Structure formats: C-alpha cells, structure tokens
Amino acid sequence: MSRCFAMLKPGVVNRRLVGEIISRLEKKGFKIVGIKMVHPSRELAAAHYAEHEGKPFFEELVDYLVSGPVVALALQADDCVPLVRKYVGKTKPIDAEPGTIRGDYCIHTNRNIIHASDSDESAERELKLWFKDDEIFDWKDCEDGWY
C-alpha cells in the first residue's frame, strides 16, 4: 500500500461537486485515510506549488488556491500515485480523456478542479504539508483485496 495526496480545489467546492468526486474516488477503491476542508493561506499555497515558483503562472496558481476552501485528501491504495494520476486524467482538459475526473468536470487548465501528487516523493512532501501525523488514520478496511 502506498499513499497519495489529492486536493479538490475551490472550483469543486463552489460547483457543489465535492461529494460526487469523493464518491468516484471511493468507488474506484481508494481508501480515504485523511480528509479535511481548509481555506489555505498564501504561505501554504505557495509552499504547495514551490516547484513552480518563478514561472509565469505561479501567482495565478496561488491566487486560485486561496480563492476559497479546498478539500485535502490522503488516499491509500496499491500503486496509489500512478493510479490516482490516471484516474484524475491529464492536466490540460483538452487532453483529459472522458471518464477521468478532469475529462468529465474540467474545461480550463488555470481553473483545474483537482490536484494529485505526481510522484511518491511529491506525495510524501504534500501529505506532510497538509496533514499532521495524527490526522491520517490507517483504519482496517473489510473491503481490502476486493478492488
């Protein structure tokens, strides 16, 4: 089992899609081991997108992230990072396949509705940034092995 960080961005909250997106993640078989709603500070948003600092779109990313509350998720599954990335779909909505979360719910790259860690290293960094150790619960799942 491995873990991945995912975040439902302000657009999901504003469009009232939180339950639908979480339901899709759970139906796929991802185990939610951490979940919380946060209105990120500028400092948290900048730290989250630190690898993009200095790029022309950095400020726009930060502005969008602080524009409203987000839902932070700690997910767990076998091969969690690549599986979540595939299920979420490609970053650019034009490239995201129908059936993926971005393919079904996103039109604008700069208003992307979901973030998912792109590597195990990113997942570890992002999970520590958004969750304290006592906010992640590795609970016994009676469905283990069925997905």
Side-chain angles (χ1 to χ4, degrees):
M1 286 288 191
S2 61
R3 290 188 179 150
C4 181
F5 174 75
M7 174 178 33
L8 307 183
K9 295 183 181 181
V12 172
V13 176
N14 281 294
R15 291 169 58 195
R16 312 298 195 271
L17 294 171
V18 171
E20 191 166 336
I21 303 301
I22 288 174
S23 177
R24 285 181 64 163
L25 292 166
E26 285 188 310
K27 286 177 185 174
K28 176 67 176 172
F30 295 108
K31 182 176 170 182
I32 297 173
V33 293
I35 183 170
K36 64 180 173 178
M37 182 177 266
V38 179
H39 195 147
S41 66
R42 235 177 151 65
E43 294 75 26
L44 178 57
H48 178 79
Y49 286 125
E51 72 272 12
H52 298 301
E53 192 169 2
K55 295 178 183 173
F57 55 86
F58 176 75
E59 286 301 323
E60 189 175 359
L61 281 173
V62 171
D63 288 344
Y64 177 45
L65 205 56
V66 302
S67 70
V70 301
V71 176
L73 299 165
L75 303 173
Q76 188 169 290
D78 291 334
D79 300 315
C80 198
V81 170
L83 193 55
V84 169
R85 295 289 296 179
K86 187 170 188 160
Y87 196 66
V88 163
K90 297 192 177 178
T91 302
K92 290 184 178 180
I94 194 76
D95 299 329
E97 295 290 327
T100 65
I101 292 171
R102 289 179 178 145
D104 290 348
Y105 300 102
C106 192
I107 292 179
H108 303 287
T109 302
N110 60 347
R111 293 283 184 236
N112 205 320
I113 66 167
I114 190 168
H115 167 84
S117 302
D118 61 5
S119 69
D120 288 333
E121 295 76 26
S122 291
E124 186 176 339
R125 182 184 71 80
E126 292 167 352
L127 286 166
K128 286 182 180 176
L129 191 61
W130 290 88
F131 289 94
K132 297 174 187 164
D133 288 342
D134 65 353
E135 294 177 321
I136 295 182
F137 306 92
D138 190 7
W139 48 278
K140 173 86 172 107
D141 186 348
C142 65
E143 300 296 326
D144 279 349
W146 288 100
Y147 291 97

